[in-house]
Amino acid sequence: MRFTGSALRATVYVGEHDTWHHKPVFVEIVHRARAAGLAGASVFHGIEGFGSSSVIHTSRLLSLSEDLPVAVVLIDTEERIRGFLPQLDEVVGDALVTLDVCETLRYTRNEVRR
């Protein structure tokens, strides 16, 4: 079975070493998103990028970067994502957040396969 619907995707771009109370900020965001009942959250580790400082962070061996980019992707209805933004205000320091309207496709099985 397939379900479709409109959703809002929030992508939070942070550094892998950004912390909130001595733990990675991306971990805090995912845990808060789950506690808030959002539909989904995923963390993606970047291999190269730069932000407001224009310093390039890379995973290439010769550069040995210590703060690679991380993207935390949250998805739910527009109302729920916008309601979650104050949580981000609390834990995120130097970051970029993008909001994108998207269409979701959710596949489920009608019966359990054995």
Side-chain angles (χ1 to χ4, degrees), residues 8-12 29 32-33 36 38 74 77-92 96-100:
L8 190 65
R9 176 180 52 220
T11 306
V12 184
I29 293 170
R32 285 180 180 225
L38 294 186
L74 310 168
T77 63
E78 180 172 357
E79 179 182 357
R80 292 178 62 100
I81 290 292
R82 290 195 184 278
F84 186 73
L85 293 178
Q87 296 275 346
L88 294 179
D89 292 342
E90 188 177 334
V91 300
V92 171
L96 173 68
V97 177
T98 60
L99 300 173
D100 304 290

Side-chain angles (χ1 to χ4, degrees), residues 24-56:
V25 72
F26 60 86
V27 170
E28 183 66 17
I29 293 170
V30 169
H31 286 251
R32 285 180 180 225
R34 185 167 188 260
L38 294 186
S42 297
V43 178
F44 299 93
H45 196 255
I47 58 172
E48 187 166 76
F50 71 92
S52 60
S53 69
S54 293
V55 174
I56 293 180

